[in-house]
Amino acid sequence: RVIRVHVIGEDTLRLIRIVKNNEMLVEREVDRDEEYFEYYDVSRAGSCDFYYARVVQVDENTAWSSPVWVNGPEECSGT
């Protein structure tokens, strides 16, 4: 799976983390206020996988994206 991340900060970015199923998949150090990159997830794929990005700026402010579900959260709800 290809994960594409594009972040524009209000200040200089320090770290961008891609999180898969609530576990950190990759951490990227940054030193600018905008960053775009692609990450190829070669780990085992599951039908209920979800990803999100966590961002830390140099001023320690943080942000995170909404989760992106591979097959949608309703597929994993068990109903």
Side-chain angles (χ1 to χ4, degrees), residues 15-71:
L15 291 172
I16 300 173
R17 297 178 178 116
I18 298 175
V19 180
K20 176 183 179 182
N21 301 332
N22 290 325
E23 294 187 19
M24 189 172 64
L25 188 61
V26 66
E27 180 175 87
R28 182 178 180 115
E29 293 185 10
V30 185
D31 189 24
R32 59 186 149 275
D33 63 356
E34 183 173 1
E35 179 73 359
Y36 175 87
F37 68 97
E38 294 182 349
Y39 177 79
Y40 295 87
D41 181 7
V42 295
S43 65
R44 184 172 173 215
S47 62
C48 293
D49 288 344
F50 64 93
Y51 298 85
Y52 62 91
R54 289 195 63 106
V55 179
V56 181
Q57 297 182 149
V58 295
D59 63 5
E60 295 301 319
N61 283 329
T62 61
W64 53 93
S65 70
S66 297
V68 177
W69 295 83
V70 172
N71 290 317

